[in-house]
């Protein structure tokens, strides 16, 4: 088969032979009728597809809390189908599609449209994120209740790309979503401390390069405010793309107080540093910006000890005409779906900071729980949905942006050698991605 397939017939029975079951020991998996039917030593039924998984790690399908699919409105950069293909290639079986599309996902009808586009693509579960405010304008709450009650059953709300900076509006949003156990995901950026032009971590480098500074305190003050609002309302707040050691300290303190706060970190904030901006390469322009090495180290430690709950890609595809500008004028954002697991394997697993069971928790179990996706992030046990990814933990590869399933090419990993390669992804037992030839037919009765 090729590197990107839409999977076998839904009635296909698959036996995955000899995989490391994410810390639970080596075993076989029998996938049938969309479920994990058997685990352990499995006899392959006649006609079953048999996958030799010797040396591979089986993880629950990955869940991304933070994906920009651009459709509707910017299909030149990404579509739900192309983004879904990129997600499946990265080992994901569910993604949360952010609301900053055109039109904005701020109504029940808009949310249902994104849901239907994801179902038509059929490669991952696409769950719409609803906007917190109408048009992302930060002035009036969007139709939170109607989106929650729609077919899309929206539970995560975010104005990502913009901060809900009005404290009273943020309080109202937290109070509103509490009624249906929703969560507000905040893009923490105080516009008075870091405005829309801010694009480089504030410090000696931003001054030397002549780029508008984006100080860490602009993130940290919003995180501190929002955890106090969450305590006051008894509601849940989620910190998107946490990027500084100071924010980590706030989240750690809040969790110790019993406040309902969760946080995510991106792959690029786990590996890349602000030093990459010295050549003014716009592929490295992202919001929040890349930070110094000391922040990167703090984020790795926080992910390892569970202070930061999840890895989320903030996959942000852009057409060439939006990204290929002088640094200050270029669009914010970079690709993330296809290399996220490899980055985590390289910077967290290989150095011994995390085990593969820890990766399953940070990239599948906890993200699914935060988002309220009951059919995702489940253990590889009998009766559970057969959503899983097979990873070769020893394989290394040099990233080539031309190989991306995304329509865009703003890939910050281009030319880097990363460890840990996705070999196959299954959504409810149907293969949605395969890298290399792994299958043969079973012959036993």
């Amino acid at each position: 088969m090729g590197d990107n397939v839409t999977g076998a017939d839904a009635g296909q029975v698959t036996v995955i032979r000899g995989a490391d079951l994410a810390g639970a020991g080596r075993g076989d998996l029998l996938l049938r009728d969309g479920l994990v039917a058997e685990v352990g030593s499995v006899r392959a039924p006649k006609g079953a597809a048999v996958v030799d998984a010797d040396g591979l790690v089986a993880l629950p399908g990955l869940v991304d809390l933070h994906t920009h699919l651009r459709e509707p409105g910017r299909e030149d950069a990404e579509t739900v189908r192309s983004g879904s293909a990129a997600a499946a290639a990265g080992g994901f079986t569910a993604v949360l599609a952010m609301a900053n599309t055109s039109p904005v996902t701020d109504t029940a009808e808009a949310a249902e449209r994104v849901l239907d586009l994801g179902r038509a693509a059929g490669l991952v579960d696409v769950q719409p994120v609803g906007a917190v405010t109408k048009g992302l304008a930060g002035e009036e709450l969007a139709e939170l209740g109607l989106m929650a009650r729609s077919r899309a059953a929206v539970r995560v709300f975010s104005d990502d790309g913009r901060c809900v900076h009005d404290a009273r509006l943020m309080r109202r949003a937290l109070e509103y979503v509490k009624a249906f156990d929703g969560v507000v995901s905040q893009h923490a950026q105080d516009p008075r401390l870091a405005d829309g032009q801010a694009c480089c971590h504030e410090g000696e480098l931003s001054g030397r390069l002549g780029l508008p500074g984006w100080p860490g305190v602009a993130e940290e003050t919003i995180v501190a405010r929002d955890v106090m609002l969450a305590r006051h309302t008894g509601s849940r707040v989620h910190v998107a793309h946490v990027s500084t050691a100071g924010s980590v300290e706030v989240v750690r303190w809040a969790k110790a107080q019993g406040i309902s706060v969760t946080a995510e970190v991106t792959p690029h904030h786990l590996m890349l540093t602000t030093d990459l901006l010295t050549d003014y390469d716009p592929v490295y322009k992202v919001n929040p910006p890349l930070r110094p090495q000391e922040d990167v180290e703090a984020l790795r430690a926080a992910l390892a000890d569970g202070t930061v709950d999840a890895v989320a890609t903030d996959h942000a595809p852009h057409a060439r005409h939006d990204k290929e500008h002088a640094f200050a004028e270029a669009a914010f954002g970079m690709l993330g779906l296809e290399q996220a697991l490899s980055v985590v394997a390289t910077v967290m697993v290989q150095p011994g900071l995390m085990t593969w069971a820890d990766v399953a928790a940070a990239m599948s179990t906890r993200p699914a729980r935060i988002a309220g996706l009951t059919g995702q992030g489940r253990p590889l046990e009998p009766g559970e949905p057969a959503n899983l990814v097979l990873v070769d933990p020893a394989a290394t590869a040099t990233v080539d942006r031309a190989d991306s399933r995304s329509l865009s090419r703003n890939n910050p990993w281009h030319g880097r050698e990363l460890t840990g390669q996705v070999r196959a992804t299954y959504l409810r037992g149907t293969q949605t991605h395969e890298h290399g030839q792994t299958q043969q037919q079973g012959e036993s009765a």
Side-chain angles (χ1 to χ4, degrees):
M1 294 184 184
D3 281 359
N4 185 33
V5 296
T6 56
D9 182 89
Q12 175 70 64
V13 177
T14 301
V15 174
I16 296 172
R17 183 79 74 199
D20 175 354
L21 305 180
R26 190 176 177 193
D28 305 334
L29 297 167
L30 174 63
L31 314 182
R32 181 164 47 203
D33 298 328
L35 301 174
V36 177
E38 295 181 37
V39 178
S41 181
V42 173
R43 188 179 184 188
K46 186 175 182 180
V50 179
V51 178
D52 179 6
D54 183 39
L56 305 184
V57 176
L59 302 174
L62 309 185
V63 176
D64 188 16
L65 287 166
H66 197 146
T67 304
H68 296 275
L69 295 179
R70 302 304 188 205
E71 187 178 9
R74 288 306 308 267
E75 290 83 354
D76 56 331
E78 196 78 286
T79 65
V80 171
R81 180 170 290 276
S82 66
S84 294
F92 290 91
T93 54
V95 299
L96 274 76
M98 303 308 285
N100 59 339
T101 48
S102 182
V104 172
T105 307
D106 58 3
T107 66
E109 293 78 12
E112 289 175 351
R113 180 181 180 185
V114 173
L115 179 76
D116 292 340
L117 287 168
R119 288 178 174 173
L123 296 171
V124 297
D125 287 343
V126 176
Q127 176 62 33
V129 172
V132 178
T133 67
K134 291 183 178 180
L136 308 179
E139 297 175 356
E140 183 180 357
L141 287 183
E143 297 178 0
L144 308 184
L146 292 178
M147 286 188 278
R149 294 191 295 272
S150 72
R151 285 190 294 110
V154 177
R155 289 297 180 271
V156 181
F157 299 86
S158 180
D159 277 4
D160 184 62
R162 303 181 186 182
C163 179
V164 183
H165 61 86
D166 184 308
R168 185 169 65 173
L169 199 62
M170 184 64 176
R171 173 187 173 178
R172 289 180 57 206
L174 289 168
E175 290 172 336
Y176 203 111
V177 303
K178 182 182 177 183
F180 45 81
D181 195 29
V183 61
V184 178
S185 176
Q186 176 69 290
H187 175 113
Q189 179 182 2
D190 188 325
R192 297 170 185 83
L193 295 173
D195 63 20
Q197 301 304 309
C199 59
C200 178
H201 173 77
E202 185 178 277
E204 181 275 332
L205 184 65
S206 64
R208 177 156 51 86
L209 298 178
L211 295 173
W214 203 123
V217 71
E219 174 178 299
E220 295 151 7
T221 54
I222 295 295
V223 175
R225 182 203 73 178
D226 285 354
V227 298
M228 298 306 290
L229 289 174
R231 181 165 75 171
H232 178 74
T233 59
S235 190
R236 293 196 294 143
V237 69
H238 179 74
V239 184
H241 43 50
V242 62
S243 71
T244 75
S247 292
V248 167
E249 291 175 8
V250 175
V251 171
R252 185 175 285 119
W253 173 86
K255 287 189 170 187
Q257 305 305 306
I259 300 171
S260 295
V261 57
T262 53
E264 68 187 36
V265 65
T266 69
H268 48 272
H269 286 116
L270 285 173
M271 178 180 276
L272 308 179
T273 68
T274 193
D275 293 341
L276 290 168
L277 274 57
T278 54
D279 292 332
Y280 296 96
D281 186 344
V283 76
Y284 298 119
K285 183 180 180 182
V286 67
N287 189 359
L290 301 180
R291 302 293 189 184
Q293 186 65 36
E294 54 264 33
D295 289 304
V296 171
E297 296 296 336
L299 293 169
R300 291 178 184 177
L303 179 63
D305 69 21
T307 299
V308 169
D309 302 82
V311 176
T313 70
D314 196 5
H315 176 81
H318 287 292
R320 290 181 61 181
H321 58 266
D322 290 324
K323 200 64 172 172
E324 294 183 357
H325 292 277
F327 192 92
E329 284 76 46
F332 289 100
M334 52 184 62
L335 300 187
L337 284 168
E338 290 171 89
Q339 278 76 47
L341 186 59
S342 295
V343 172
V344 172
T346 301
V347 302
M348 300 300 294
V349 178
Q350 198 172 34
L353 296 174
M354 293 174 70
T355 66
W356 284 107
D358 296 330
V359 173
M363 298 190 74
S364 181
T365 307
R366 289 198 293 260
R369 186 169 64 240
I370 291 167
L373 301 181
T374 56
Q376 295 284 346
R378 304 296 303 162
L380 300 178
E381 296 176 356
E384 297 288 358
N387 301 320
L388 65 136
V389 55
L390 297 177
V391 187
D392 186 338
T396 60
T398 300
V399 178
D400 185 344
R401 59 175 165 245
D403 294 336
S404 179
R405 280 80 174 166
S406 172
L407 297 183
S408 295
R409 293 293 176 263
N410 53 313
N411 192 323
W413 315 111
H414 177 70
R416 290 179 179 266
E417 185 177 82
L418 299 176
T419 298
Q421 300 298 310
V422 173
R423 294 305 185 203
T425 308
Y426 296 84
L427 177 66
R428 288 181 287 280
T430 295
Q431 190 176 69
T432 56
H433 169 78
E434 181 188 32
H435 181 86
Q437 190 73 27
T438 59
Q439 291 190 8
Q440 58 188 20
Q441 292 300 113
E443 297 180 353
S444 57

